[in-house]
Amino acid sequence: MIDPLSAIRLSLLVATFATLAGLPPAVGVGWLLARRSFAGKSLLSALLMAPLVLPPVVTGLLLLRAFGHDTLAGKALAAVDLPVPFTLFGAMIAAWVVGFPLMVLSARTAFESVDPRFESVSAALGVRPLRTFWRTTLPLAAPGLCAGAVLTFARALGEFGATAIVAGNMEGRTRTIALAVYSLLDEPNGEPQIRVLLVASLTISVAALYGWERLNRWQRRRLDVAHG
Amino acid sequence: MAEDGILVDVRVHDGRHHLKLATTAACVGVCGPSGAGKSTLLRVLAGVEPGVTGTVRALGETWLGPALVVPAWRRGVGWVPQDALLFPHLNVRQNLDYSRRSGAEECLGIARLLGVSALLDRAPRNLSGGERQRVALGRALLARPRLLLLDEPFSALDRNLRARLAADVAAYCKDRALPVVLASHDDPDLTAFNAERWEFVDGVLSRG
């Protein structure tokens, strides 16, 4: 028996985790890539972007190799009761890894769109760099950062390949929307459940992309003011 | 007034441009054609121009020297850039109070001095060029600077307002013994501040 509501719930859970856990590091890395030059910047950027172009199945396999039961990292996580292979946590990690590049990319673009002269003005008013970041850089980049989060959420929601490899396809535990649809294709009477999942997928994805579009527009408007 | 005045002797833009100025005047006015380096000089003093080497001394302190760069936020300057650069995510009141170094009463006093009291709840995008310049000036004054750096601060104002405001701000600075470096095309501005006049001629600053 495949429960479409359980699949939707698991997908939302996984996508929420991937988004919230990805946002803080993505803000840090995005800022670093936008505002600083350092040795190995291109390499770091390439490594972070890799999950965007790697086949998700390969990403999943790499994750399994890194966090499997017989690896150091895998043992450490299992010791704190967070094993990765074939668990919901594994699905979360897979979605996080696959979604993270989108968030870094968005954060980098958002920070690059902020005129660094605002940071100069802030400093020349006697405000320390960290406070300048909180009071000027971050608010000015905020719409773009939110847009990145929304895009990541949408991407994580539909994650299939890496999730299937890392977390498997266990009803009620790791069977997210995409995996449930895949399983239902083999069920002779699966059509009603498939319809529920299709409607849910379309609704959430379109809503997310609509939000993404609005946020991007807000970002452009916000920065237009500066030169208006 | 600064005890030993202002000394700038720096190379900027990867060493292609040389800026040199030494004075003990309380108020310095810098003239010259656009692109001569007036704004660059102010940014060097503010500490926001990248890639600068040489010496900058002001207020009896060394801000730039060999193996020494005092960051902008520690210099205690008030910089008013030419295009105002008001923070677009904050209204006029929040822009004025950005440095959070002055009380609400002082904010209102400055707003009155600059004639922007009626604009406090407006967003920068709903201000004219001249209004933006005045808010940027107020924002800098409210940061309690020890040196005021004004980059064409009255350029977007009509002539009457310009003369009045220049006189008012000059008087404000004189009352507080606040030294000023003023970049301006306009001689009446320099006169209002009783500024020592420096001019860029062929890229070189000289007393004029």
Side-chain angles (χ1 to χ4, degrees):
Chain A
M1 180 61 199
I2 293 171
D3 178 5
L5 293 184
S6 147
I8 294 169
R9 193 181 64 84
L10 285 176
S11 273
L12 289 174
L13 213 60
V14 164
T16 304
F17 173 87
T19 307
L20 295 183
L23 197 52
V27 166
V29 175
W31 180 85
L32 214 61
L33 292 174
R35 282 286 192 267
R36 288 277 180 270
S37 46
F38 49 90
K41 178 169 162 174
S42 302
L43 187 66
L44 175 71
S45 175
L47 280 175
L48 286 168
M49 292 305 134
L52 206 58
V53 289
L54 276 177
V57 174
V58 172
T59 304
L61 202 58
L62 289 172
L63 280 175
L64 215 49
R65 294 272 159 91
F67 294 106
H69 287 306
D70 48 354
T71 67
L72 210 63
K75 280 178 189 149
L77 282 168
V80 294
D81 225 16
L82 280 174
V84 168
F86 307 107
T87 61
L88 182 61
F89 183 62
M92 288 171 166
I93 294 295
W96 184 87
V97 168
V98 172
F100 191 63
L102 288 174
M103 196 128 60
V104 170
L105 217 54
S106 306
R108 180 181 185 166
T109 312
F111 284 125
E112 277 172 346
S113 72
V114 175
D115 190 334
R117 291 182 305 164
F118 288 121
E119 290 156 4
S120 296
V121 170
S122 182
L125 290 165
V127 175
R128 310 165 164 267
L130 197 61
R131 280 171 63 86
T132 292
F133 178 78
W134 280 112
R135 294 182 48 200
T136 289
T137 316
L138 198 61
L140 285 177
L145 297 173
C146 291
V150 168
L151 197 61
T152 304
F153 182 84
R155 172 67 184 87
L157 201 75
E159 218 315 289
F160 179 78
T163 313
I165 301 289
V166 174
N169 182 6
M170 288 174 288
E171 174 63 25
R173 289 175 55 201
T174 65
R175 183 171 284 159
T176 53
I177 293 177
L179 290 158
V181 170
Y182 181 73
S183 303
L184 281 165
L185 290 177
D186 290 334
E187 298 259 328
N189 303 318
E191 187 56 25
Q193 287 120 299
I194 286 187
R195 281 197 193 145
V196 172
L197 291 170
L198 288 183
V199 169
S201 281
L202 274 170
T203 310
I204 301 173
S205 306
V206 171
L209 288 174
Y210 179 77
W212 179 71
E213 184 62 40
R214 300 298 303 184
L215 286 162
N216 277 325
R217 201 183 287 190
W218 180 27
Q219 175 79 66
R220 282 196 299 273
R221 241 197 357 253
R222 178 158 246 196
L223 296 166
D224 257 358
V225 177
H227 310 291
Chain B
M1 160 169 177
E3 294 116 66
D4 54 353
I6 294 170
L7 171 80
V8 175
D9 184 358
V10 296
R11 291 187 168 278
V12 292
H13 304 149
D14 303 318
R16 275 182 288 126
H17 202 63
H18 194 180
L19 284 175
K20 216 168 163 180
L21 173 138
T23 178
T24 53
C27 191
V28 182
V30 183
C31 321
S34 312
K38 300 193 293 290
S39 297
T40 308
L41 177 72
L42 294 188
R43 283 199 303 271
V44 166
L45 280 165
V48 297
E49 178 74 19
V52 182
T53 53
T55 309
V56 174
R57 276 207 284 272
L59 309 171
E61 299 168 7
T62 301
W63 285 347
L64 182 71
L68 169 81
V69 187
V70 175
W73 60 275
R74 282 212 185 113
R75 293 189 183 192
V77 299
W79 174 48
V80 182
Q82 195 172 351
D83 40 4
L85 291 174
L86 297 184
F87 298 110
H89 58 301
L90 304 175
N91 66 19
V92 169
R93 189 192 308 275
Q94 292 163 327
N95 265 284
L96 286 172
D97 191 34
Y98 186 82
S99 65
R100 301 200 177 146
R101 293 199 178 171
S102 304
E105 213 161 293
E106 231 172 325
C107 273
L108 292 178
I110 290 285
R112 224 172 296 130
L113 176 78
L114 301 172
V116 296
S117 308
L119 310 173
L120 291 177
D121 294 317
R122 293 242 209 124
R125 71 168 155 272
N126 299 326
L127 301 181
S128 72
E131 289 167 339
R132 278 179 211 173
Q133 281 189 330
R134 283 181 276 158
V135 175
L137 184 55
R139 179 178 65 180
L141 290 175
L142 287 164
R144 299 183 177 277
R146 302 178 300 151
L147 170 66
L148 192 60
L149 305 168
L150 305 178
D151 197 349
E152 303 274 4
F154 311 114
S155 60
L157 304 176
D158 65 65
R159 190 181 302 185
N160 288 333
L161 186 57
R162 180 173 190 147
R164 208 198 73 212
L165 206 64
D168 287 352
V169 174
Y172 179 94
C173 295
K174 202 171 170 215
D175 283 352
R176 285 157 183 76
L178 174 60
V180 179
V181 180
L182 170 76
S184 180
H185 281 340
D186 185 68
D187 280 332
D189 284 356
L190 300 192
T191 313
F193 278 85
N194 192 21
E196 179 180 274
R197 188 188 159 94
W198 287 70
E199 187 157 9
F200 276 101
V201 181
D202 299 327
V204 179
L205 259 176
S206 54
R207 281 289 291 276

